[in-house]
Amino acid sequence: MSENLPACPKCSSEFTYEMDALMVCPECGHEWVPAEAGQAGEQAGERVVKDAVGNVLADGDTVTVVKALKVKGSPSGIKAGTKVRNIRLIDGVDGHDIDCRIEGFGAMQLKSSVVKKA
């Protein structure tokens, strides 16, 4: 192991290694970009949520659904291209980190991986 590799920011393991542009911890499986490690320490309490193409999302943004979604209990789902206005970022369950209201469906939670910032 090289002495100049950083320790894992998640479990502090010293046995990290490089894999392409990522750093990997073999003990906990955490992967990160080395440049992010310094930024994460500065912004310890701030969580960054990104959409399907990598744009950073914020409360109040307008997003577009990028793929058709099935909705439990509804005969029709949410079509790709549906605009969702005034989103709120939350710490949801199972990766659902957007709380919003969709016309025709009401209040629901979405995953940031299925939306694109409009």
Side-chain angles (χ1 to χ4, degrees):
M1 305 290 152
S2 178
E3 294 178 14
N4 60 356
L5 293 178
C8 175
K10 191 170 184 182
C11 70
S12 301
S13 171
E14 298 175 359
F15 303 109
T16 59
Y17 61 91
E18 291 182 78
M19 184 172 64
D20 296 325
L22 295 175
M23 296 297 299
V24 181
C25 176
E27 292 185 9
C28 69
H30 181 64
E31 298 178 350
W32 73 98
V33 177
E36 285 182 352
Q39 294 172 356
E42 295 169 9
Q43 304 170 355
E46 190 174 325
R47 188 173 68 105
V48 176
V49 177
K50 295 185 179 183
D51 66 2
V53 294
N55 298 323
V56 177
L57 298 174
D59 286 343
D61 281 347
T62 298
V63 295
T64 304
V65 178
V66 294
K67 69 180 226 177
L69 303 172
K70 294 180 181 178
V71 178
K72 197 181 233 181
S74 174
S76 64
I78 299 171
K79 295 180 181 178
T82 302
K83 282 203 172 203
V84 181
R85 293 181 172 84
N86 198 20
I87 64 168
R88 291 176 305 280
L89 302 178
I90 59 169
D91 290 327
V93 179
D94 293 333
H96 293 82
D97 46 11
I98 297 175
D99 193 24
C100 61
R101 187 164 184 271
I102 299 176
E103 293 292 324
F105 288 96
M108 64 178 27
Q109 294 181 355
L110 297 173
K111 292 182 178 183
S112 59
S113 61
V114 298
V115 299
K116 179 178 81 170
K117 192 170 185 176

